Amino acid sequence: MSWEDLASSLRRRARNESEPTSKASAVASVARLSALAGVIVAAIVTPATALVASTATQATDDVLSLPLELTDGTSPQTSRLYAAGGELLAYFYEENRQDVPLEKIAPVMQEAILAIEDRRFYEHGALDLEGTLRALLNNAAEGQTQGGSTITQQLVKLILVQQAATEEQRKAATEQSVARKVRELRLAVDYEENHTKDEILARYLNIAYFGDGAYGISAAASHYFSVTPEELTVPQAATLAGLVKNPVEFDPSIYPERALQRRNTVLSVMAEQGKISQQESEDLQATELGLNVTEYPNGCVTSQASFACDYIRRYLLEDPALGATEDERRERLERGGLTIKTNIDLNMQVAANQAVASNVLPTDRAIGALALVEPGTGKVRGLAQSRPMGRDKAAGQSFLNFTVPTEYGQSLGFQAGSTFKMFTAAAALQQGIGVDKTYNSPPNMTVPAGTYFDCEGGGTSAWQVKNSTSSGTKNMYSGLRESVNTYFAQLERDAGLCNVVRMTEAMGIEVPDSGPENAVVPSFTLGPLPVSPLEMAAAYAVPASGGMYCEPLPVTEVLDINGETIKTYEPQCNRVLSPEVAAQLNDILRGLQEPGGFGFSNGTGLRVPSAGKTGTTNDNKAVWYTGYTPELSTAAMIAGADEEGAPIPLSGTSVNGRIVGFSEAAGSALAGPMWAAAMQAIQDSLSPVNFQPPPRRAPAPRPRPQQPQQQQQQQPPPAADPAAAPAP
């Protein structure tokens, strides 16, 4: 029905008003004609080109700023985050909604909503004169408010609210005023001219709010009854149809008695209109609501992979493929109905969750964190930490993500300790220094100033270094496996400090080289730089993969609401080490995972080939165990941290109910068991693939020179350094 046809219909209705036969009928006739007159005036004086002028005397600026046309754009839709195996990890939404076509909505749901909201929907145009007059008369006679708006008019109002660009416009779209009603009526007429009744009903059911965060019939059916819209039964449909009038007042989760009464009202109306029989209506009214609620938590807090989820969210907010600005990307993520396929392996994620939970308590003044990365691709398989996501600090909850770099988690990281020795060994091997490179490695030594040079050619200061494990004559195998500090002080000198730094950077670790955070210092080989478990897992994936560094890759594909690919994420890898150097490193580091190794002695052994390296900082603030197989690199970190996440010493701190002694604050003893708890649960899903054979095996130990018996008796055994740091 066009605007002009509507005006003509109103005029005819006024002319055909029957002559009153009593005082009461006269009053009713006056009421009807008054109502008609108001609409007629609006119809006559409000052609499309003069709509603003006709309402200007009664409208606020906000009402006048509302759009004169309605867009057919998609309503805000829910985005979904999936694990690599297809398991749902999280939802992102501004409004929890997923549109469905009318044919996917049970006919009984369509009948229920029309019965209670607009019984003559398929018979009238944008305005139902009969319904409007009936509502006006009932309201006048009974002092009640009975809705007279058609489905189309309601839809127009909902669309205007959705299109409103400001809070003021949202208020204007719902204010009680003649100006708004006239504007809505005009828009409703135009909308009916350009859409079929089925299209209007489908959009109404998809845009309507059903309460408790459920927008649209799909979300409502799933939330309240855990079914799809096409599976809705008569009483379920009646319950949902009754909610749209006032989804807060009739919310069945909060006011079940009100919701039950409202449902029964809908069932009665359906019986009156012949949608169901009177007997069926009475039988159904005697039943309970039968709610079967499914929650749709927004965001990452309740996800099984909460911090992996948050990392992925932040990762996507930096991706220009989703929009030119961060605001555009956030809007698309929360309104675009995206399908996000990730590389998170849910079985590995669960194993990591259990490993951190069984080794570090949420309320400990320490953080346990794990990161799992696939060598050769960079695929992030899992991230877990001991402090759950949330705002309850008393329960140990936090929104700081200690598993990832600062830009993705706001944690400042923790020093990596001796795990950095792998970078020094890699740089030395890459330059041709052999595994048989031998140094006398005393318990402590002072390296003179000018021994090392930074990347600008400047000399560095003197450095006093001491061992925390063993001392004596060491080669690269024994020096790295036993984590001998004085050996690596000399190897770093011969490899070149800058070369070691560049190797570290090539493996994904950003190294500040100026200002107060300058990390290009003699002790670089001992890991003074704060890092995250994800960075270390990706770095140790380099030798595991045969020499390729791959940027951490949490996402594999993002699809739009129509299932079209927005972006496919491919591994970004560069060769950092030759295959031979990688194989040599693997052969050295596998010693920690074999009998006699620091890790193996603390229960880290696996049934598949593996390698690893410990890390302990001199001030005992963090311990690490970073180990890998050819298929998975995992970094485990336990670090002292206060309630705000700032580093504190582990010594004297309670971790999982046990006070950590000075000698116990070691990578193999503290972080190793947490690493083992995850990897031993995962190992059966890994292939028993071996590392490539190295160019050279471990050199035979050099025989100690024989000394005269008297001199041997006078030579006391080396005393333990009481100031030495704990063993790795």
Side-chain angles (χ1 to χ4, degrees), residues 339-360:
T339 297
I340 304 159
K341 299 180 180 180
T342 78
N343 290 316
I344 300 300
D345 182 305
L346 193 55
N347 291 329
M348 294 184 183
Q349 178 66 54
V350 169
N353 291 345
Q354 294 172 346
V356 294
S358 62
N359 282 271
V360 185

Side-chain angles (χ1 to χ4, degrees), residues 112-135:
I113 199 73
L114 294 179
I116 197 65
E117 291 295 325
D118 193 352
R119 62 185 297 177
R120 299 180 61 251
F121 173 71
Y122 282 100
E123 301 171 20
H124 60 67
L127 176 68
D128 180 9
L129 299 180
E130 180 179 314
T132 300
L133 290 175
R134 182 174 63 252

Side-chain angles (χ1 to χ4, degrees), residues 405-668:
T406 303
E407 64 180 301
Y408 295 116
Q410 298 182 308
S411 168
L412 298 179
F414 295 86
Q415 291 182 347
S418 293
T419 55
F420 265 40
K421 289 172 182 170
M422 185 271 285
F423 303 133
T424 305
L429 290 168
Q430 195 81 342
Q431 293 178 73
I433 297 176
V435 295
D436 57 351
K437 184 66 175 179
T438 302
Y439 301 109
N440 176 34
S441 306
N444 53 71
M445 62 187 297
T446 299
V447 182
T451 299
Y452 306 97
F453 297 89
D454 62 26
C455 295
E456 301 299 323
T460 62
S461 59
W463 176 31
Q464 290 185 335
V465 57
K466 55 189 175 184
N467 292 333
S468 60
T469 55
S470 63
S471 302
T473 301
K474 306 292 180 181
N475 56 43
M476 200 179 296
Y477 267 80
S478 57
L480 186 52
R481 287 180 174 180
E482 297 171 24
S483 201
V484 181
N485 293 343
T486 55
Y487 177 89
F488 273 86
Q490 297 171 83
L491 185 64
E492 181 183 54
R493 175 199 63 203
D494 292 350
L497 173 59
C498 186
N499 291 329
V500 175
V501 169
R502 295 293 183 243
M503 177 61 70
T504 307
E505 291 175 327
M507 294 192 191
I509 307 296
E510 185 176 343
V511 182
D513 57 4
S514 62
E517 297 181 355
N518 175 31
V520 186
V521 294
S523 61
F524 185 83
T525 191
L526 302 187
L529 186 63
V531 293
S532 69
L534 180 60
E535 291 170 292
M536 294 308 295
Y540 270 72
V542 173
S545 68
M548 303 296 291
Y549 171 73
C550 302
E551 297 178 11
L553 185 65
V555 180
T556 181
E557 188 177 22
V558 176
L559 309 175
D560 66 16
I561 191 171
N562 298 314
E564 300 294 327
T565 299
I566 296 174
K567 182 176 180 180
T568 299
Y569 295 78
E570 300 292 343
Q572 302 296 312
C573 303
N574 295 301
R575 178 159 293 283
V576 174
L577 303 175
S578 68
E580 293 76 18
V581 168
Q584 195 70 71
L585 276 174
N586 293 334
D587 197 57
I588 298 174
L589 294 175
R590 70 185 302 165
L592 275 78
Q593 286 291 103
E594 296 175 342
F598 288 152
F600 189 91
S601 299
N602 283 276
T604 64
L606 302 180
R607 292 190 297 272
V608 296
S610 59
K613 180 69 185 78
T614 59
T616 305
T617 61
N618 285 335
D619 53 10
N620 288 345
K621 289 183 178 179
V623 295
W624 295 74
Y625 199 88
T626 304
Y628 57 89
T629 77
E631 295 181 334
L632 187 65
S633 175
T634 299
M637 177 200 76
I638 296 179
D642 64 16
E643 290 75 9
E644 303 302 323
I648 61 174
L650 280 168
S651 299
T653 299
S654 175
V655 175
N656 198 30
R658 182 169 60 92
I659 300 298
V660 178
F662 185 83
S663 62
E664 295 172 305
S668 57

